[in-house]
Coordinates of all heavy atoms in Angstrom, one line a residue:
M1 N 13.2 -5.4 6.0 CA 13.9 -4.3 6.6 C 14.3 -3.2 5.4 O 14.7 -3.6 4.5 CB 15.1 -4.6 7.5 CG 15.8 -3.4 8.1 SD 17.1 -4.0 9.1 CE 16.5 -3.3 10.6
L2 N 14.1 -1.9 5.7 CA 14.4 -0.9 4.7 C 16.0 -0.8 4.5 O 16.7 -0.8 5.5 CB 13.9 0.4 5.2 CG 12.4 0.6 5.0 CD1 12.0 1.9 5.7 CD2 12.0 0.6 3.6
N3 N 16.4 -0.5 3.3 CA 17.7 -0.2 3.0 C 17.9 1.2 3.6 O 17.1 2.1 3.6 CB 17.8 -0.2 1.5 CG 19.2 0.1 1.1 OD1 20.0 0.5 1.9 ND2 19.5 -0.1 -0.2
C4 N 19.0 1.3 4.2 CA 19.2 2.6 5.0 C 20.1 3.6 4.3 O 21.1 4.1 4.7 CB 20.0 2.3 6.3 SG 19.2 3.1 7.7
I5 N 19.5 4.1 3.1 CA 20.2 5.1 2.3 C 19.4 6.4 2.9 O 18.3 6.6 2.7 CB 19.9 5.0 0.8 CG1 20.5 3.6 0.3 CG2 20.3 6.1 0.1 CD1 20.2 3.3 -1.1
R6 N 20.3 7.2 3.4 CA 19.8 8.5 4.1 C 20.1 9.7 3.3 O 20.0 10.8 3.8 CB 20.4 8.6 5.5 CG 20.0 7.5 6.4 CD 20.7 7.6 7.8 NE 20.3 6.4 8.5 CZ 20.4 6.3 9.7 NH1 20.8 7.4 10.5 NH2 20.0 5.3 10.4
I7 N 20.5 9.5 2.0 CA 20.8 10.7 1.2 C 20.0 10.6 -0.1 O 20.0 9.5 -0.7 CB 22.3 10.8 0.9 CG1 23.1 10.9 2.1 CG2 22.6 12.0 -0.1 CD1 24.6 10.8 1.9
A8 N 19.3 11.6 -0.4 CA 18.6 11.7 -1.7 C 19.5 12.5 -2.7 O 20.0 13.5 -2.2 CB 17.2 12.3 -1.6
R9 N 19.7 12.1 -3.9 CA 20.6 12.8 -4.8 C 19.7 13.2 -6.0 O 18.9 12.4 -6.5 CB 21.8 12.0 -5.2 CG 22.7 11.7 -4.2 CD 24.0 11.0 -4.6 NE 24.9 10.9 -3.6 CZ 25.0 9.8 -2.7 NH1 24.1 8.8 -2.9 NH2 25.9 9.7 -1.7
V10 N 20.0 14.3 -6.6 CA 19.4 14.8 -7.8 C 20.5 14.9 -8.8 O 21.5 15.5 -8.6 CB 18.6 16.2 -7.6 CG1 18.2 16.7 -8.9 CG2 17.5 16.1 -6.7
Y11 N 20.2 14.3 -9.9 CA 21.3 14.2 -11.0 C 20.8 15.1 -12.2 O 19.7 15.1 -12.6 CB 21.5 12.7 -11.5 CG 22.1 11.9 -10.5 CD1 21.3 11.1 -9.6 CD2 23.4 11.6 -10.4 CE1 21.9 10.3 -8.6 CE2 24.0 10.8 -9.5 CZ 23.2 10.2 -8.6 OH 23.8 9.4 -7.7
D12 N 21.8 15.7 -12.9 CA 21.7 16.2 -14.1 C 22.0 15.2 -15.2 O 23.2 14.9 -15.3 CB 22.5 17.5 -14.3 CG 22.3 18.1 -15.7 OD1 22.1 17.5 -16.7 OD2 22.4 19.4 -15.7
I13 N 21.0 14.6 -15.8 CA 21.3 13.5 -16.7 C 22.0 13.8 -18.0 O 22.6 13.0 -18.7 CB 20.1 12.5 -16.9 CG1 19.0 13.4 -17.5 CG2 19.7 11.9 -15.6 CD1 17.8 12.5 -17.9
Q14 N 21.8 15.1 -18.4 CA 22.4 15.6 -19.7 C 23.9 15.8 -19.4 O 24.7 15.5 -20.3 CB 21.7 16.8 -20.2 CG 20.3 16.5 -20.7 CD 19.6 17.7 -21.2 OE1 20.0 18.9 -20.8 NE2 18.5 17.5 -22.0
E15 N 24.2 16.4 -18.3 CA 25.6 16.8 -18.0 C 26.4 15.8 -17.2 O 27.5 15.9 -16.9 CB 25.7 18.2 -17.3 CG 25.1 19.3 -18.1 CD 25.9 19.6 -19.4 OE1 27.1 19.4 -19.4 OE2 25.3 19.9 -20.4
H16 N 25.6 14.7 -16.6 CA 26.2 13.6 -16.0 C 26.9 14.0 -14.6 O 28.1 13.7 -14.4 CB 27.2 12.9 -16.8 CG 26.6 12.4 -18.1 ND1 25.7 11.4 -18.2 CD2 26.8 12.8 -19.4 CE1 25.3 11.2 -19.4 NE2 26.0 12.1 -20.2
F17 N 26.2 14.8 -13.8 CA 26.8 15.1 -12.5 C 25.7 15.3 -11.5 O 24.5 15.4 -11.9 CB 27.6 16.4 -12.6 CG 26.8 17.7 -12.7 CD1 26.4 18.4 -11.6 CD2 26.5 18.1 -14.0 CE1 25.6 19.6 -11.8 CE2 25.8 19.3 -14.2 CZ 25.3 20.0 -13.0
V18 N 26.0 15.2 -10.2 CA 25.1 15.3 -9.1 C 24.8 16.8 -8.9 O 25.8 17.6 -8.6 CB 25.6 14.6 -7.8 CG1 24.7 14.8 -6.6 CG2 25.8 13.1 -8.0
C19 N 23.6 17.2 -8.9 CA 23.2 18.6 -8.7 C 23.1 19.0 -7.1 O 23.3 20.1 -6.7 CB 21.9 18.9 -9.3 SG 21.8 18.6 -11.1
G20 N 22.8 17.9 -6.4 CA 22.6 18.2 -5.0 C 22.4 16.9 -4.2 O 22.0 15.9 -4.7
E21 N 22.7 17.0 -3.0 CA 22.5 15.9 -1.9 C 21.7 16.4 -0.9 O 22.0 17.5 -0.3 CB 23.9 15.3 -1.5 CG 24.7 14.6 -2.5 CD 25.9 13.9 -2.0 OE1 26.3 14.2 -0.9 OE2 26.4 13.0 -2.7
Y22 N 20.8 15.6 -0.4 CA 19.8 16.0 0.6 C 19.7 14.9 1.8 O 19.3 13.8 1.5 CB 18.4 16.2 -0.1 CG 18.5 17.0 -1.3 CD1 18.8 16.5 -2.5 CD2 18.3 18.4 -1.3 CE1 19.0 17.3 -3.6 CE2 18.5 19.2 -2.3 CZ 18.8 18.7 -3.5 OH 19.0 19.4 -4.6
R23 N 20.4 15.3 2.8 CA 20.5 14.4 4.0 C 19.3 14.3 4.8 O 18.6 15.2 5.1 CB 21.7 14.7 4.9 CG 23.0 14.7 4.0 CD 24.3 14.8 4.8 NE 25.4 14.9 4.0 CZ 26.0 13.7 3.5 NH1 25.6 12.6 3.8 NH2 27.1 13.9 2.7
H24 N 19.0 13.0 5.3 CA 17.9 12.7 6.1 C 18.3 11.9 7.4 O 19.3 11.2 7.3 CB 16.9 11.7 5.3 CG 16.3 12.4 4.1 ND1 17.0 12.8 3.0 CD2 15.0 12.9 3.9 CE1 16.2 13.3 2.1 NE2 15.0 13.4 2.6
P25 N 17.5 12.0 8.4 CA 17.8 11.3 9.6 C 17.6 9.7 9.6 O 18.2 9.0 10.3 CB 17.0 11.9 10.7 CG 15.7 12.4 9.9 CD 16.3 12.8 8.6
E26 N 16.7 9.3 8.6 CA 16.4 7.9 8.5 C 16.4 7.6 7.0 O 16.7 8.5 6.2 CB 15.1 7.5 9.2 CG 15.2 7.7 10.7 CD 14.0 7.0 11.3 OE1 13.3 6.2 10.8 OE2 13.7 7.6 12.5
A27 N 16.0 6.4 6.6 CA 16.0 6.0 5.3 C 15.1 6.8 4.3 O 14.0 7.0 4.7 CB 15.6 4.5 5.1
V28 N 15.6 7.2 3.2 CA 14.7 7.8 2.2 C 14.1 6.7 1.4 O 14.7 5.7 0.9 CB 15.6 8.7 1.2 CG1 14.8 9.3 0.1 CG2 16.4 9.7 2.0
T29 N 12.7 6.9 1.2 CA 11.9 5.8 0.6 C 11.4 6.2 -0.7 O 11.0 5.2 -1.5 CB 10.8 5.4 1.6 OG1 10.1 6.5 1.9 CG2 11.4 4.7 2.9
C30 N 11.2 7.4 -1.0 CA 10.6 7.9 -2.3 C 10.9 9.3 -2.5 O 11.3 10.0 -1.6 CB 9.1 7.6 -2.3 SG 8.2 8.3 -1.0
G31 N 10.7 9.8 -3.8 CA 11.0 11.2 -4.0 C 10.2 11.6 -5.3 O 9.8 10.8 -6.1
L32 N 10.1 12.9 -5.4 CA 9.4 13.5 -6.5 C 10.0 14.9 -6.8 O 10.1 15.7 -5.9 CB 7.9 13.6 -6.3 CG 7.1 14.4 -7.3 CD1 6.9 13.6 -8.6 CD2 5.8 14.7 -6.7
T33 N 10.5 15.2 -8.0 CA 10.9 16.5 -8.3 C 9.6 17.3 -8.8 O 8.7 16.8 -9.4 CB 12.0 16.6 -9.4 OG1 11.6 15.9 -10.5 CG2 13.2 16.0 -8.8
Y34 N 9.6 18.6 -8.6 CA 8.4 19.4 -9.0 C 8.9 20.8 -9.3 O 9.7 21.4 -8.6 CB 7.5 19.4 -7.8 CG 6.1 20.0 -8.0 CD1 5.2 19.3 -8.5 CD2 5.9 21.4 -7.8 CE1 3.9 19.8 -8.8 CE2 4.6 21.9 -8.1 CZ 3.7 21.2 -8.5 OH 2.4 21.7 -8.8
R35 N 8.3 21.4 -10.3 CA 8.6 22.8 -10.7 C 7.4 23.7 -10.3 O 6.3 23.5 -10.8 CB 8.9 22.9 -12.1 CG 9.2 24.3 -12.5 CD 9.7 24.3 -13.9 NE 11.2 24.2 -13.8 CZ 12.0 24.5 -14.7 NH1 11.6 24.9 -15.9 NH2 13.3 24.5 -14.5
A36 N 7.6 24.5 -9.3 CA 6.5 25.4 -8.8 C 6.7 26.8 -9.4 O 7.9 27.3 -9.4 CB 6.5 25.4 -7.3
S37 N 5.6 27.5 -9.7 CA 5.7 28.9 -10.1 C 4.7 29.7 -9.4 O 3.5 29.3 -9.3 CB 5.5 29.0 -11.6 OG 5.4 30.3 -12.0
D38 N 5.0 30.8 -8.9 CA 4.1 31.8 -8.3 C 3.7 32.9 -9.2 O 3.1 33.9 -8.8 CB 4.5 32.3 -6.9 CG 5.8 33.1 -7.0 OD1 6.2 33.4 -8.2 OD2 6.3 33.5 -6.0
G39 N 4.0 32.8 -10.5 CA 3.7 33.9 -11.4 C 5.0 34.8 -11.6 O 5.1 35.4 -12.7
E40 N 5.7 34.9 -10.6 CA 7.0 35.8 -10.7 C 8.2 35.0 -10.8 O 9.1 35.4 -11.4 CB 7.0 36.7 -9.4 CG 5.8 37.7 -9.4 CD 6.0 38.7 -8.2 OE1 7.1 38.8 -7.7 OE2 5.0 39.2 -7.8
R41 N 8.3 33.9 -10.2 CA 9.5 33.1 -10.1 C 9.2 31.6 -10.2 O 8.0 31.2 -9.9 CB 10.4 33.4 -8.9 CG 9.8 33.0 -7.7 CD 10.7 33.3 -6.5 NE 10.0 32.9 -5.3 CZ 10.6 32.3 -4.3 NH1 11.9 32.2 -4.3 NH2 9.9 32.0 -3.2
V42 N 10.1 30.9 -10.8 CA 10.0 29.4 -10.8 C 10.9 28.9 -9.8 O 12.1 29.3 -9.6 CB 10.3 28.9 -12.2 CG1 10.4 27.4 -12.3 CG2 9.4 29.4 -13.2
R43 N 10.4 27.8 -9.0 CA 11.3 27.2 -8.0 C 11.3 25.8 -8.3 O 10.2 25.1 -8.5 CB 10.7 27.5 -6.7 CG 11.5 27.0 -5.6 CD 11.4 27.9 -4.3 NE 12.6 27.7 -3.6 CZ 12.7 28.2 -2.3 NH1 11.7 28.8 -1.8 NH2 13.8 28.0 -1.6
N44 N 12.4 25.1 -8.2 CA 12.6 23.8 -8.4 C 12.6 23.1 -7.0 O 13.4 23.4 -6.2 CB 13.9 23.4 -9.1 CG 13.9 23.8 -10.6 OD1 12.9 23.6 -11.3 ND2 14.9 24.6 -11.0
L45 N 11.6 22.1 -6.9 CA 11.5 21.5 -5.5 C 11.7 20.0 -5.6 O 11.5 19.4 -6.6 CB 10.1 21.8 -5.0 CG 9.7 23.2 -4.8 CD1 8.2 23.3 -4.4 CD2 10.6 23.9 -3.7
L46 N 12.1 19.5 -4.5 CA 12.2 18.0 -4.3 C 11.4 17.6 -3.1 O 11.6 18.3 -2.0 CB 13.7 17.6 -4.1 CG 13.9 16.2 -3.7 CD1 13.5 15.2 -4.8 CD2 15.5 16.0 -3.3
F47 N 10.5 16.6 -3.2 CA 9.7 16.1 -2.2 C 10.3 14.8 -1.9 O 10.5 14.0 -2.8 CB 8.3 16.0 -2.5 CG 7.6 17.3 -2.7 CD1 7.7 18.1 -3.8 CD2 6.9 17.8 -1.6 CE1 7.1 19.3 -3.9 CE2 6.2 19.1 -1.7 CZ 6.4 19.8 -2.9
T48 N 10.7 14.4 -0.6 CA 11.1 13.1 -0.3 C 10.3 12.6 0.8 O 9.8 13.2 1.8 CB 12.6 13.2 0.2 OG1 12.7 14.1 1.3 CG2 13.5 13.6 -0.9
G49 N 10.1 11.2 0.8 CA 9.5 10.5 1.8 C 10.5 9.7 2.6 O 11.5 9.3 2.1
C50 N 10.3 9.5 3.9 CA 11.2 9.0 4.8 C 10.6 8.0 5.7 O 9.5 8.0 5.9 CB 11.9 10.1 5.6 SG 13.4 9.7 6.5
S51 N 11.5 7.0 6.1 CA 10.9 6.0 7.0 C 10.5 6.6 8.4 O 9.9 5.9 9.2 CB 12.0 4.9 7.3 OG 13.1 5.4 7.8
D52 N 10.8 7.9 8.7 CA 10.3 8.5 9.9 C 8.9 9.0 9.8 O 8.4 9.6 10.8 CB 11.3 9.6 10.4 CG 11.4 10.7 9.4 OD1 10.7 10.8 8.4 OD2 12.3 11.6 9.7
G53 N 8.3 8.9 8.7 CA 6.9 9.3 8.5 C 6.8 10.7 8.0 O 5.7 11.1 7.8
L54 N 7.8 11.4 7.7 CA 7.8 12.8 7.3 C 8.0 12.9 5.8 O 8.8 12.2 5.2 CB 8.9 13.7 8.0 CG 8.6 13.9 9.4 CD1 9.8 14.7 10.0 CD2 7.4 14.5 9.8
T55 N 7.2 13.8 5.1 CA 7.5 14.2 3.8 C 8.2 15.5 3.9 O 7.8 16.5 4.5 CB 6.2 14.3 3.0 OG1 5.5 13.1 3.0 CG2 6.5 14.8 1.6
R56 N 9.5 15.6 3.3 CA 10.3 16.9 3.4 C 10.2 17.5 2.0 O 10.2 17.0 1.0 CB 11.7 16.5 3.7 CG 11.8 16.1 5.2 CD 13.2 15.7 5.6 NE 13.3 15.4 7.0 CZ 12.9 14.2 7.6 NH1 12.4 13.2 6.9 NH2 13.0 14.1 8.9
V57 N 10.2 18.9 2.0 CA 10.2 19.7 0.9 C 11.6 20.4 0.9 O 12.0 21.1 1.8 CB 9.1 20.8 0.9 CG1 9.1 21.6 -0.3 CG2 7.7 20.2 1.2
W58 N 12.3 20.3 -0.3 CA 13.6 20.8 -0.4 C 13.7 21.8 -1.6 O 13.1 21.5 -2.6 CB 14.6 19.7 -0.7 CG 14.7 18.6 0.3 CD1 13.8 17.5 0.4 CD2 15.6 18.4 1.4 NE1 14.2 16.7 1.4 CE2 15.3 17.3 2.0 CE3 16.7 19.2 1.8 CZ2 15.9 16.8 3.1 CZ3 17.4 18.8 2.9 CH2 17.0 17.6 3.6
G59 N 14.5 22.8 -1.5 CA 14.8 23.7 -2.7 C 16.0 23.0 -3.3 O 17.0 22.9 -2.8
I60 N 15.7 22.6 -4.6 CA 16.8 22.0 -5.4 C 18.0 22.9 -5.5 O 19.1 22.5 -5.4 CB 16.3 21.4 -6.6 CG1 15.3 20.2 -6.5 CG2 17.5 20.9 -7.6 CD1 14.7 19.6 -7.6
D61 N 17.7 24.1 -5.8 CA 18.8 25.1 -6.1 C 19.7 25.4 -5.0 O 20.9 25.6 -5.2 CB 18.1 26.4 -6.7 CG 17.3 26.1 -8.0 OD1 17.7 25.3 -8.7 OD2 16.3 26.8 -8.2
D62 N 19.2 25.4 -3.7 CA 19.9 25.8 -2.6 C 20.1 24.6 -1.6 O 20.8 24.7 -0.5 CB 19.4 27.0 -1.9 CG 18.0 26.8 -1.4 OD1 17.4 25.7 -1.5 OD2 17.4 27.7 -1.0
A63 N 19.6 23.5 -1.9 CA 19.6 22.2 -1.0 C 19.2 22.4 0.4 O 19.7 21.8 1.3 CB 21.1 21.7 -1.1
A64 N 18.3 23.4 0.6 CA 17.7 23.7 1.9 C 16.4 22.9 2.1 O 15.6 22.9 1.2 CB 17.5 25.1 2.1
C65 N 16.3 22.4 3.3 CA 15.0 21.8 3.7 C 14.0 23.0 4.0 O 14.2 23.6 5.0 CB 15.1 20.8 4.9 SG 13.6 20.0 5.3
L66 N 12.9 23.0 3.2 CA 12.1 24.2 3.4 C 11.0 23.9 4.4 O 10.5 24.8 5.1 CB 11.5 24.6 2.1 CG 12.5 24.9 0.9 CD1 11.7 25.1 -0.4 CD2 13.3 26.1 1.3
K67 N 10.5 22.6 4.4 CA 9.4 22.2 5.3 C 9.5 20.7 5.6 O 10.0 19.9 4.8 CB 8.0 22.5 4.7 CG 7.6 23.9 4.4 CD 6.2 24.0 3.8 CE 5.9 25.4 3.5 NZ 4.7 25.6 2.8
E68 N 8.9 20.4 6.8 CA 8.7 18.9 7.1 C 7.1 18.8 7.3 O 6.5 19.5 8.0 CB 9.4 18.6 8.3 CG 10.9 18.6 8.1 CD 11.6 18.1 9.4 OE1 11.1 18.1 10.5 OE2 12.7 17.6 9.3
L69 N 6.6 18.0 6.4 CA 5.1 17.7 6.4 C 4.8 16.4 7.1 O 5.4 15.5 6.8 CB 4.6 17.7 5.0 CG 5.0 18.9 4.1 CD1 4.6 18.6 2.6 CD2 4.4 20.2 4.5
N70 N 3.9 16.5 8.0 CA 3.5 15.3 8.7 C 2.1 14.9 8.5 O 1.4 15.5 7.6 CB 3.7 15.4 10.3 CG 3.0 16.6 10.9 OD1 2.0 17.1 10.4 ND2 3.5 17.2 11.9
G71 N 1.6 13.8 9.1 CA 0.3 13.3 8.9 C 0.3 11.8 8.5 O -0.8 11.2 8.6
I72 N 1.5 11.3 8.4 CA 1.6 9.8 8.3 C 2.4 9.3 9.4 O 3.4 9.9 9.8 CB 2.3 9.5 6.9 CG1 1.5 10.0 5.8 CG2 2.7 8.0 6.8 CD1 2.1 9.9 4.4
S73 N 1.9 8.3 10.1 CA 2.5 7.9 11.3 C 3.5 6.7 11.1 O 4.1 6.1 12.1 CB 1.4 7.4 12.4 OG 0.7 6.3 11.8
A74 N 3.7 6.2 9.8 CA 4.6 5.2 9.5 C 5.4 5.6 8.3 O 5.4 6.8 8.0 CB 3.8 3.9 9.2
C75 N 6.1 4.7 7.8 CA 7.0 5.0 6.6 C 6.3 5.6 5.4 O 5.1 5.1 5.1 CB 7.7 3.7 6.2 SG 8.8 3.9 4.8
V76 N 6.8 6.7 4.8 CA 6.1 7.3 3.6 C 6.5 6.3 2.4 O 7.8 6.2 2.2 CB 6.6 8.7 3.4 CG1 6.0 9.3 2.0 CG2 6.2 9.5 4.6
L77 N 5.7 5.8 1.7 CA 5.9 4.8 0.7 C 5.9 5.4 -0.7 O 6.5 4.9 -1.6 CB 4.9 3.6 0.7 CG 4.9 2.8 1.9 CD1 3.9 1.8 1.9 CD2 6.4 2.2 2.2
C78 N 5.1 6.5 -0.9 CA 5.0 7.1 -2.3 C 4.5 8.6 -2.2 O 3.9 9.0 -1.3 CB 4.0 6.3 -3.1 SG 2.2 6.3 -2.3
I79 N 4.9 9.3 -3.2 CA 4.5 10.7 -3.4 C 4.1 10.9 -4.8 O 4.8 10.5 -5.8 CB 5.7 11.6 -3.0 CG1 6.2 11.3 -1.7 CG2 5.3 13.0 -3.2 CD1 7.6 12.1 -1.3
K80 N 3.0 11.6 -5.1 CA 2.6 11.9 -6.3 C 2.1 13.3 -6.4 O 1.5 13.9 -5.4 CB 1.3 11.0 -6.7 CG 0.7 11.2 -8.0 CD 1.5 10.7 -9.1 CE 0.8 10.8 -10.4 NZ 1.6 10.6 -11.5
G81 N 2.4 14.1 -7.5 CA 1.9 15.5 -7.6 C 1.1 15.6 -8.8 O 1.3 15.0 -9.8
K82 N 0.2 16.6 -8.7 CA -0.7 17.1 -9.8 C -1.1 18.4 -9.5 O -1.7 18.7 -8.4 CB -1.8 16.1 -10.0 CG -2.6 16.5 -11.2 CD -3.5 15.4 -11.7 CE -4.2 16.0 -13.0 NZ -4.4 15.1 -13.9
G83 N -1.0 19.4 -10.4 CA -1.3 20.8 -10.2 C -0.6 21.4 -9.0 O 0.5 21.3 -8.9
N84 N -1.5 21.9 -8.1 CA -0.9 22.5 -6.9 C -1.0 21.5 -5.7 O -1.0 22.1 -4.5 CB -1.6 23.8 -6.6 CG -1.2 24.9 -7.6 OD1 -0.2 24.9 -8.2 ND2 -2.2 25.8 -7.9
W85 N -1.1 20.3 -5.9 CA -1.2 19.4 -4.8 C -0.2 18.2 -4.8 O 0.2 17.8 -5.9 CB -2.6 18.7 -4.8 CG -3.7 19.7 -4.5 CD1 -4.3 20.4 -5.4 CD2 -4.1 20.0 -3.2 NE1 -5.2 21.2 -4.8 CE2 -5.1 21.0 -3.5 CE3 -3.8 19.6 -2.0 CZ2 -5.8 21.6 -2.4 CZ3 -4.5 20.2 -0.9 CH2 -5.5 21.1 -1.1
I86 N 0.3 17.8 -3.7 CA 1.1 16.7 -3.6 C 0.4 15.7 -2.6 O -0.2 16.1 -1.6 CB 2.5 17.0 -2.9 CG1 3.3 18.0 -3.8 CG2 3.3 15.8 -2.5 CD1 3.8 17.3 -5.1
V87 N 0.4 14.4 -3.0 CA -0.2 13.4 -2.1 C 0.8 12.4 -1.7 O 1.7 11.9 -2.6 CB -1.4 12.6 -2.8 CG1 -1.9 11.6 -1.9 CG2 -2.5 13.7 -3.2
A88 N 1.0 12.2 -0.4 CA 1.9 11.1 0.2 C 1.1 10.0 0.7 O 0.1 10.2 1.4 CB 2.8 11.8 1.2
G89 N 1.6 8.8 0.5 CA 0.9 7.6 1.0 C 1.9 6.9 2.0 O 3.1 6.8 1.8
G90 N 1.3 6.3 3.0 CA 2.1 5.7 4.1 C 1.8 4.3 4.3 O 0.8 3.7 3.9
D91 N 2.8 3.7 5.0 CA 2.6 2.2 5.4 C 1.5 2.0 6.4 O 1.2 0.9 6.8 CB 4.0 1.7 5.9 CG 4.1 0.2 5.9 OD1 3.4 -0.4 5.1 OD2 4.9 -0.3 6.7
D92 N 1.0 3.1 7.0 CA -0.1 3.1 8.0 C -1.4 3.1 7.2 O -2.5 3.4 7.9 CB 0.1 4.2 9.0 CG 0.0 5.6 8.3 OD1 0.1 5.7 7.1 OD2 0.0 6.5 9.2
H93 N -1.4 2.9 5.9 CA -2.7 2.9 5.1 C -3.4 4.3 5.0 O -4.6 4.3 4.9 CB -3.7 1.8 5.6 CG -3.0 0.5 5.7 ND1 -2.9 -0.3 4.6 CD2 -2.6 -0.2 6.7 CE1 -2.3 -1.4 4.9 NE2 -2.1 -1.4 6.3
T94 N -2.6 5.4 5.1 CA -3.1 6.7 5.0 C -2.6 7.4 3.8 O -1.5 7.1 3.4 CB -2.9 7.5 6.2 OG1 -1.4 7.7 6.4 CG2 -3.4 7.0 7.5
A95 N -3.3 8.4 3.3 CA -2.9 9.3 2.2 C -3.1 10.7 2.7 O -4.2 10.9 3.2 CB -3.5 9.0 0.9
V96 N -2.1 11.5 2.6 CA -2.3 12.9 2.9 C -2.0 13.8 1.8 O -1.0 13.7 1.1 CB -1.4 13.2 4.2 CG1 -1.5 14.6 4.6 CG2 -1.5 12.3 5.3
A97 N -2.9 14.8 1.6 CA -2.7 15.7 0.5 C -2.2 17.1 1.0 O -2.7 17.6 2.2 CB -4.1 16.0 -0.2
F98 N -1.2 17.6 0.4 CA -0.6 18.9 0.8 C -0.8 19.9 -0.4 O -0.4 19.6 -1.5 CB 0.8 18.7 1.1 CG 1.1 17.8 2.2 CD1 1.6 16.5 1.8 CD2 0.9 18.0 3.5 CE1 1.9 15.5 2.8 CE2 1.2 17.0 4.5 CZ 1.6 15.9 4.2
A99 N -1.2 21.1 -0.1 CA -1.3 22.1 -1.1 C 0.1 22.8 -1.3 O 0.8 23.1 -0.2 CB -2.3 23.2 -0.8
I100 N 0.6 23.0 -2.5 CA 1.8 23.6 -2.7 C 1.6 25.1 -2.9 O 0.8 25.6 -3.7 CB 2.4 23.0 -4.0 CG1 2.7 21.6 -3.8 CG2 3.8 23.8 -4.3 CD1 3.1 20.9 -5.2
S101 N 2.2 25.9 -2.1 CA 2.1 27.4 -2.2 C 3.3 28.1 -2.6 O 4.4 27.5 -2.6 CB 1.6 28.0 -0.9 OG 2.5 27.6 0.2

């Protein structure tokens, strides 16, 4: 059974404090921080996987949930990013790729 931690926290390890808390309806199972740039601005993002099958995209600076990405019908087990892509893998033996815009 999954540990029922429903809050993802981002820490500033140099200053030793919590930068933000990101609440979820079910257990948080994985996460990935990502720095996105559109050429004009840089945005710090947090991707979290949840036992409800959703991958959520958060703005780290404002702690707002920007998107909920679906495509996995079971628990999200891992998230990996490279370039402009994020791939989430699920307990249902699927992997879903999402383009970061």
Side-chain angles (χ1 to χ4, degrees):
M1 179 174 240
L2 285 173
N3 185 346
C4 225
I5 298 174
R6 296 178 183 200
I7 300 172
R9 291 184 177 94
V10 174
Y11 291 89
D12 182 322
I13 57 174
Q14 292 179 337
E15 299 295 326
H16 306 289
F17 71 93
V18 176
C19 300
E21 292 188 338
Y22 310 87
R23 298 191 181 276
H24 295 71
E26 292 188 28
V28 178
T29 55
C30 55
L32 172 74
T33 58
Y34 189 86
R35 179 168 269 198
S37 174
D38 63 6
E40 294 181 23
R41 66 182 178 139
V42 174
R43 184 150 203 191
N44 295 311
L45 301 174
L46 171 67
F47 291 82
T48 56
C50 193
S51 62
D52 64 5
L54 294 176
T55 301
R56 290 178 174 82
V57 184
W58 304 83
I60 290 178
D61 300 326
D62 57 9
C65 184
L66 306 174
K67 292 181 185 176
E68 291 184 340
L69 308 171
N70 57 25
I72 296 175
S73 62
C75 179
V76 179
L77 298 177
C78 59
I79 302 171
K80 178 76 175 164
K82 183 164 180 140
N84 291 329
W85 292 91
I86 295 293
V87 177
D91 199 25
D92 60 354
H93 307 284
T94 61
V96 181
F98 303 104
I100 300 169
S101 55

